[in-house]
Every structure is written in C-alpha cells, then in structure tokens.
Amino acid sequence: MAVITEIEKYKDELVRLRRDLHAHPELAYKEKRTARLVSELLKSWGVQVDQGIAETGVVGTLSTGSGPSIALRADMDALPMAEANTFDHKSQHVGCMHACGHDGHTAMLLGAAKYLAEHGQYKGTIRFIFQPAEEAAGGAKRMLDEGLFDSFTVDAVFGMHNWPGLAAGSFATCPGPMMASLDCFDIHIAGQGTHGATPQRGIDPIMISAELIGALQTVVSRNIDPNEPAVISITKMHAGDAHNVIPAQAHLGGGIRCFNPKIREILCRRIVEVAEGVCSAHGAFAEVEFLTQAPAVINTPESAELACQVATDIAGGEKVVSNVAPVMVSEDFSYMLEKKPGCFMFIGNGEGEGGCSIHNPNYDFNDDVLTLGSSYWVKLAESFLSEAVVD
Ligand code: NI
C-alpha cells in the first residue's frame, strides 16, 4: 500500500477516531454525536461546515474560489442489531452496531479532509458529504430533496464502501451498473373470512397467496430478457390465527432487484398486474404498496476510469479491479449518481468469512485500510481538480 506519507502520520489518530465512532453507533437520523464530532473536527481544520441537512447530515467545503467542484460522500449511520464482539471499542449502545463499516467510511473521509485542508494542492471546490441514514431510510434522497446539489455546486460525486471478501489494500469498481436497484413491496390481499369447514362461503386469501407466490416467479422467467439480471424474492408471508378459521386477509412482502431502469419499470408494473390478476380471478382484491426504493448504482464511465487510475496510483495496478461483477445489493448513493456524474468504489476490507461479512454481529471495519482510503479520496479530489501536485 502506497499511502500519502503525511496521511500515514495520521494513522493512530484515525484508528482512535474510527474506534470511538464504532463504540458510539447511532441509527438513521439520530447521528447527533457523530455529526457533532464530524463538524467540530472539520471546523478545527478550517473547513467550512454546514449542518442539519436531512436532520443530521453535514457538508464540509474547501474552496480556492474558482474552478470545478467535486463531492466526496461518506455515510454515518449504524444498524439496529446487537454486537457480539468483546473488544474494547465494542458498541456502548444496546441493540445498535456499526456492522456495515460506516464508522470507517466517516473516519476515512475525515482523514482526507484534514490532509486537504492542511496540504491540499488543487484549484476548485471540494465538498465532503457526511450522509445520515443510508441503511434503508433514504438519507441520500432526503439530502437531495433538501437541496444538496442546489445549495452546494457539485460537478461530480464519488462514494466508497468497504467490501469484505476483497483483499485489504485492493479497490474494485466498474463502468456502468455496479449495484442493483431495490424496490421493496407489500401485497395486501383482501378475501372473505369463513369457517375452515365451509370454504365455499368465503374467499380464501391463503390459497390465493400460494398461487400468487408461484405466479410472481414467472415475472423474471417469462417477462424479462434472459440477458438481463433480475430477482424477485418474496420474503414475508403473514395470514391467519386459528386452525379452524379461513382468514379474511393475507399479506406478502418482498423485494425486486435489477440493474437496468427499463427492466425495473417492467418488474414493478408486472408485480401489480400479476397480484391484481390472480386476486381478481378468485374474487379477491390486491393492493400493492411500494416501500423502500433506490435506483441502481450506475457509474459514469469517465468517472470510473479516473477512480481506477487514482486507485492504481496508490495501490498498484494488480490491486485494482476495474471491471468488478455488479452485485445485487443496493446503496442509496445511487440517488446522487442520478443527479451528477460520478463513481462508487469498493475498498477491500479483507478476505475471509465470518467476522468479516457486513451486517453480521461480529463485523469490524479493518483499520489497516483507513489511511489507504483517505489517500484515495485525496488523490481523487486533487486529480479531478487537476494540475494537482502529488507527493
Ligand atoms: Ni453500508
């Protein structure tokens, strides 16, 4: 790993900071301590700070007054789950844990802000976006709805997520679609309740649910081009309370994921048509409700090329995967990429199973990559704002 020499000197400070964040995780829109810490540090380095965007969001700005502008985004929220780790920096908040490494993302971006404030060589504007509520709570969209890119000029936006399974010291991205869109849905089926002994007097929503689950699996297999990756998973099924009662209602839920916005449109439309059609065939009614949604992460090819060049400069070509296979998980950074060109990057969190995988009670961010991540951010900003002198 060839990190910026000066940033290597921050290593102990960044590790301390990251572990402090890990010990004090906060859920979506409740990242008050985190936002305060981020703001205070940024101010102490002379970075201009704007707070309260999407409640707890923070934007730091460094500017030479003219030239292009780049935004670098980190997320700050933790997950509602109990931590199983026993190390000193384990969560001090019951039922809340940094199990996705957003503590590391925040620390890496802070390390870059400190360096750029003190030693940065660029002409233009750098925005440091510290986003709340990435985990299924729409923080990116809310920041945009509150005028993020209207209040703060941005020509391109870049994001980064640690990636367990990818060796520490490595980077991976790709041009075009990289992470799937997500559309979570609930289907409410209204039938007619009756005694279990007299099905002819009711409309059985459980039988209809069973038929509907099968029918929904024909959407990907019969309505979608086999060359287009897509998945529909039914993950919730609730109905009935008694052995001798056919209930009046049943509820299904699940998620749709794909990479192509046109395919996404077809999938969302067909879920509704199939649900309504199957229910109607049996005299029942279906109501389809869409809940958490996010578009696919689609990288701009030029931005992906720049990101790979920068990663190669720091980590070496053999450590950079420039055409990583897209993954079916989603990430709300996609909303920012809908508005501005840019690129998302995976930074290796280490190979191996178990303790490494995200959203797992034994997860911990790999502190060995903190300075590498900060160096990537710095060189990306300086390269984008060109004529940078790289040490
Ligand atoms: Ni995450």
Side-chain angles (χ1 to χ4, degrees):
M1 294 184 207
V3 305
I4 296 170
T5 317
E6 195 62 31
I7 289 184
E8 195 52 39
K9 293 184 194 159
Y10 305 164
K11 182 162 185 192
D12 290 348
E13 185 184 347
L14 289 180
V15 170
R16 259 197 320 276
L17 175 61
R18 202 287 295 177
R19 292 185 180 184
D20 177 69
L21 292 169
H22 190 92
H24 302 92
E26 295 170 301
L27 295 178
Y29 302 119
K30 295 192 176 122
E31 308 91 338
K32 290 196 169 66
R33 180 186 184 275
T34 309
R36 196 169 58 239
L37 186 67
V38 165
S39 302
E40 281 169 7
L41 285 171
L42 291 174
K43 282 179 193 163
S44 74
W45 302 322
V47 179
Q48 187 200 314
V49 173
D50 288 88
Q51 291 172 260
I53 306 142
E55 296 202 29
T56 44
V58 179
V59 176
T61 299
L62 281 173
S63 183
T64 60
S66 60
S69 54
I70 182 173
L72 314 175
R73 172 272 204 177
D75 40 16
M76 303 189 289
D77 57 319
L79 285 157
M81 58 187 277
E83 177 155 6
N85 293 313
T86 53
F87 45 55
D88 286 350
H89 62 279
K90 68 177 183 292
S91 172
Q92 293 178 19
H93 299 166
V94 178
C96 184
M97 176 189 178
H98 268 300
C100 200
H102 299 188
D103 48 347
H105 302 168
T106 300
M108 289 190 293
L109 191 54
L110 283 171
K114 178 179 160 90
Y115 176 90
L116 286 162
E118 292 172 359
H119 310 282
Q121 311 252 4
Y122 60 92
K123 192 166 179 228
T125 300
I126 306 168
R127 312 283 188 193
F128 303 94
I129 300 174
F130 293 88
Q131 181 203 307
E134 189 281 328
E135 300 284 358
K141 181 163 189 308
R142 192 155 156 202
M143 284 190 98
L144 292 165
D145 290 346
E146 292 187 17
L148 179 65
F149 290 158
D150 306 317
S151 312
F152 305 95
T153 52
V154 168
D155 293 319
V157 63
F158 291 80
M160 179 157 59
H161 204 292
N162 75 95
W163 205 247
L166 183 67
S170 296
F171 290 92
T173 187
C174 63
M178 178 176 176
M179 299 179 80
S181 59
L182 171 63
D183 294 277
C184 293
F185 60 86
D186 278 338
I187 303 175
H188 308 284
I189 300 163
Q192 192 178 314
T194 182
H195 196 293
T198 58
Q200 77 281 7
R201 292 190 188 149
I203 298 172
D204 181 356
I206 292 183
M207 181 278 297
I208 294 170
S209 297
E211 193 175 317
L212 179 54
I213 290 168
L216 288 172
Q217 291 308 322
T218 67
V219 173
V220 170
S221 70
R222 302 295 87 177
N223 298 139
I224 301 299
D225 181 341
N227 290 309
E228 292 280 357
V231 62
I232 294 175
S233 292
I234 303 298
T235 54
K236 295 199 306 179
M237 188 182 179
H238 300 289
D241 297 303
H243 289 91
N244 56 358
V245 177
I246 291 174
Q249 294 173 340
H251 306 274
L252 301 178
I256 303 169
R257 295 166 190 270
C258 67
F259 298 110
N260 180 335
K262 289 194 181 116
I263 299 296
R264 184 183 179 202
E265 237 176 81
I266 300 171
L267 292 169
C268 290
R269 175 170 55 78
R270 288 296 293 152
I271 289 278
V272 176
E273 287 172 355
V274 171
E276 289 179 351
V278 168
C279 285
S280 152
H282 296 285
F285 295 96
E287 189 197 332
V288 181
E289 186 185 358
F290 285 98
L291 307 151
T292 304
Q293 296 183 287
V297 171
I298 301 177
N299 294 326
T300 315
E302 299 75 39
S303 304
E305 202 183 322
L306 174 67
C308 285
Q309 267 169 23
V310 169
T312 301
D313 285 349
I314 298 166
E318 74 284 0
K319 297 282 184 62
V320 179
V321 183
S322 59
N323 61 346
V324 71
V327 293
M328 272 291 171
V329 290
S330 66
E331 157 67 61
D332 78 352
F333 180 68
S334 56
Y335 282 108
M336 297 191 185
L337 286 179
E338 273 193 331
K339 304 272 183 205
K340 301 287 174 187
C343 179
F344 201 58
M345 178 63 87
F346 292 148
I347 182 168
N349 198 53
E351 289 163 308
E353 301 283 312
C356 195
S357 68
I358 50 175
H359 294 215
N360 129 43
N362 287 110
Y363 174 87
D364 195 29
F365 185 86
N366 186 342
D367 286 329
D368 288 343
V369 308
L370 283 169
T371 53
L372 186 76
S374 295
S375 299
Y376 166 78
W377 278 138
V378 165
K379 293 201 175 178
L380 181 68
E382 290 185 335
S383 302
F384 184 85
L385 300 176
S386 72
E387 314 337 319
V389 179
V390 177
D391 64 355

